[in-house]
Each structure stands twice: as structure tokens, then as C-alpha cells.
Amino acid sequence: MDTERFDRRKFVKGVGAAGLVGLAGCTGGPESGGSDGEDTEASTTAADGEDTEASETEMSGSETTNIGMVYATGGLGDGSFNDQAQTGIQQAAEDFDLSFDESEPGSVSQFGTFQQQYAQSTDPDYDLVSCIGFLQADALSETAPDYPEQDFMIVDSVVDADNVRSYTFKEHEGSYLVGQLAGLLTSQSFSAGDSSTAGDSTNVGFVGGVESSLIAKFEAGFTAGVKAANDDIDVQTTYTGSFSDPSAGQEAALSMYSSGADIVYHAAGNTGTGVFQAARDEGRFAIGVDRDQSVTTDYQDVILASMVKRVDTAVYNAAESTVNGNFEAGTATSLGLAEDGVDIVYGTELGDQIPDDVSSEVQSSREGIVAGDISVPQDPDNV
């Protein structure tokens, strides 16, 4: 393992420093250790944000619930998936006085290493290891059976193990709503801020990260929503192969805009930042994902809406049940529109400029999906 990538990070409450060499976490983005390989002192942060000295009692972690967070590739600071997960654990720390440590793997091959380090640690002894992202499933399927006394949770995949609780989302349902929004707006002349639709546009775009059955659900729902609005609208689709390459996202979106698309939706993590930049460069629009990206990024001027996915709720609920001693390992939970697990959120700057008839039609579809009157496909081949 490349130990120079990993250093110790902040805790919300003091935890033991021993056994944490190689673990990493942060409150705002990746940090790396010095090239000389020198160790760093573990810092502690009280729930109110003030740095404090950890007492011997705190350092023992005897009564404190400890949670280890293993984030998806792309890291914190993505304004999207990982940051949403971090919001959940931070809120849980405030509400339940628990402690957590965070790790940011640089590649898929490092997931198992971090999962195992948390499971092996005895100071502190982690009560739960939270694995964020579907790409962790293979590693967790191997790790979990080796540590039967360790509880794990995973977001975006189901791992069949007695000590793992799995949380998945009905991304296709929320994506249908933003797809319908895109289809309705691209079919008319619409302008807001410095951006506008082409008026005569016959296509919109979708940029995915790593091609997979999960991201295909975003694509399928989006395409179905577009077609529900206007069956004559085509959807350009590109997968960049990465969740952490803004340049690739920008290149993909620029190609779409130059080919006539005026609205592009991304499900690509930090790669999506490039989509927003392309929209600004071309005077077009974009749709965010996972969080309200008109709030978490500096692209309020081009983001029409975001398909929010409450990863924070999954992380928070898992932490709460761990604190309360009723963590349901060996189970799987799926969250959709009916469970407030996904939804459409309009942009802070552009949202109020979307015509009422458009937002009303999207709301009607939301109600139809919840009621079971509208069935949303999960596979693009079924659209």
C-alpha cells in the first residue's frame, strides 16, 4: 500500500491514535502526508468545531461509538456523492456524540485495504464501517466474511452477508423527473441568466462516470422522462470511465452542446464539474446529481435542477441504529421518491425562472410515480 497517500484526519470527538497509521479522512478535501513519510499527530474536534485536547479517558474510546468512513473514489470536495455522505456522518456526530474517521481511497484496489484496517483496529474499536459507493461491493464481499464480528454498511449496492446492511436508491425515479424537465424545456425557447435553450433543439445529453448497472439506472430514468415530455427528443449518452475527471466531463459535454444539446445531465461524481463548466462556456444548461449542486458548486448560473439522492440519510440512519444498538445487519433497504430517498430540487438561481406549467407537469409525474401509475425503467434498453 502507498502509505504516503494516507494521513490521520480530524475527528468530531477524541479517539485513540494508535492503530490509525494509514487511515485518512478530512473535512474539506484530500490531504496527503509529507514525502518524508513523517507521521502526524491526530487532531480532535469537538462537536461545536473547536479543537480540543483529548483526555486519557477520551483517547481510550471506552464509551464512544466509533465509525469508520470509506469514501468512493473521487474523494471529498466533489460537491456531490461523497460530500453528501459526509453530511450524514457529521450530522450523526452532532446528534449522537459519536466519533468518526474518514478515508479517501485513490483507486478501487484500495477499498479492501481500508475496510480491513478499520475492522482490525482495536484502539479505537470501530462499531461500524460505512462503505460509500457500489465499487466497494466486491472488496466488501471478501472483507465482511473475514470479520464476522464487525458491522458494515454499504451504499449503492447489496452485499449478501450477515454483518452488512445494504442501502440502495431508486435513482431512475428521480432521474425521470429531471429528464422530463429537460425534455419540456428543450422543446421551447427558454432563457435564464446568461444561458438559453436552442429553441429548435432535438436532443439533450447524459454524461455518466463508470459504466455500470447502477449508473444505467440514471440514464434509463432520464431518457424515459425526456421521452415522456417529447418523444421526438433524442438523448446523447457518453460514459467517461471515471468519477474524478472534470476534464473528461467537460470534453464530453462540449461535444454534446456542439452537436445541438442545450441541457446535459450528469451522474459522474466530480467528473460532472466539467459538465457545468462546459455549460457555462457554451451558454447552455446542466442538471446536477446527488446533492443540490447549485448550492455545493459555483455553477448556480447554469444548473436548472439537481436529482438529489439522500446518501446522507442512509449514513445517518446506519449511525443512529448503531448508537441505539439496533443495527439491522444482513438486511437491504431501497429508497425512492415515496421514501424521500431521491427527488428533484430546482436550482437556487434559475429554479424560480422555470415556467409554472413545466414544474407542474413534473410534479404530476412525481405523484404518478409514487402512486404507482407511472413505471420507470431501470435499463436504458427498455426505454
Side-chain angles (χ1 to χ4, degrees):
M1 182 184 71
D2 183 3
T3 56
E4 289 184 5
R5 270 197 56 84
F6 313 118
D7 62 1
R8 299 188 187 116
R9 318 293 256 188
K10 290 183 178 179
F11 300 111
V12 172
K13 192 173 175 64
V15 298
L20 291 179
V21 176
L23 294 178
C26 79
T27 55
E31 295 177 10
S32 59
S35 59
D36 59 3
E38 289 183 1
D39 207 1
T40 57
E41 292 300 318
S43 64
T44 62
T45 307
D48 60 5
E50 295 182 357
D51 287 342
T52 60
E53 292 296 327
S55 67
E56 291 183 5
T57 300
E58 287 176 317
M59 293 299 284
S60 71
S62 57
E63 298 298 329
T64 304
T65 295
N66 297 290
I67 295 177
M69 300 288 297
V70 184
Y71 291 110
T73 55
L76 292 164
D78 60 2
S80 183
F81 186 65
N82 283 314
D83 286 356
Q84 186 80 328
Q86 188 187 50
T87 297
I89 193 61
Q90 288 176 335
Q91 187 60 55
E94 267 191 49
D95 292 350
F96 308 121
D97 199 30
L98 59 79
S99 299
F100 68 93
D101 186 44
E102 304 170 285
S103 301
E104 297 177 74
S107 66
V108 172
S109 64
Q110 294 170 342
F111 286 138
T113 299
F114 282 120
Q115 293 167 6
Q116 293 164 29
Q117 283 183 315
Y118 282 120
Q120 292 169 358
S121 175
T122 57
D123 188 9
D125 183 0
Y126 289 94
D127 301 281
L128 176 68
V129 180
S130 295
C131 304
I132 309 304
F134 75 98
L135 290 176
Q136 300 209 39
D138 287 345
L140 186 57
S141 293
E142 296 182 5
T143 300
D146 290 339
Y147 302 92
E149 302 303 314
Q150 174 67 63
D151 284 336
F152 297 89
M153 69 85 78
I154 186 168
V155 170
D156 272 355
S157 188
V158 175
V159 172
D160 185 13
D162 291 339
N163 55 336
V164 177
R165 180 161 190 183
S166 304
Y167 290 87
T168 58
F169 294 84
K170 300 173 184 176
E171 295 90 352
H172 50 296
E173 293 184 349
S175 296
Y176 181 99
L177 301 183
V178 296
Q180 185 177 28
L181 172 69
L184 291 169
L185 290 179
T186 198
S187 301
Q188 60 184 266
S189 294
F190 172 75
S191 61
D194 294 327
S195 300
S196 63
T197 59
D200 58 352
S201 173
T202 59
N203 69 86
V204 294
F206 173 80
V207 175
V210 176
E211 191 166 3
S212 63
S213 59
L214 172 66
I215 305 304
K217 289 165 65 180
F218 291 84
E219 179 191 350
F222 179 70
T223 302
V226 170
K227 295 295 186 179
N230 186 338
D231 194 48
D232 294 329
I233 301 296
D234 294 322
V235 179
Q236 301 182 60
T237 298
T238 297
Y239 284 85
T240 64
S242 173
F243 292 114
S244 56
D245 191 348
S247 294
Q250 184 175 9
E251 181 180 351
L254 284 172
S255 176
M256 292 176 177
Y257 291 128
S258 65
S259 297
D262 45 26
I263 302 171
V264 176
Y265 171 45
H266 88 88
N270 200 27
T271 297
T273 305
V275 173
F276 300 147
Q277 184 60 53
R280 179 178 287 170
D281 292 343
E282 297 299 310
R284 298 306 186 192
F285 297 107
I287 296 173
V289 76
D290 294 335
R291 302 184 79 184
D292 180 354
Q293 294 200 281
S294 71
V295 172
T296 63
T297 72
D298 294 326
Y299 293 96
Q300 301 91 340
D301 55 320
V302 298
I303 297 175
L304 291 168
S306 296
M307 198 290 284
V308 295
K309 176 171 150 178
R310 298 305 303 271
V311 179
D312 56 331
T313 298
V315 171
Y316 182 95
N317 288 349
E320 180 181 26
S321 62
T322 299
V323 171
N324 293 335
N326 56 7
F327 181 79
E328 296 181 0
T331 63
T333 300
S334 183
L335 305 172
L337 287 172
E339 299 81 16
D340 293 323
V342 297
D343 213 338
I344 181 174
V345 172
Y346 294 98
T348 55
E349 187 171 312
L350 304 183
D352 61 359
Q353 299 181 59
I354 292 173
D356 289 342
D357 61 328
V358 171
S359 57
S360 294
E361 195 163 340
V362 172
Q363 177 61 25
S364 294
S365 293
R366 186 191 191 285
E367 294 169 0
I369 293 171
V370 171
D373 298 329
I374 297 175
S375 178
V376 183
Q378 302 184 45
D379 186 336
D381 291 338
N382 294 331
V383 178

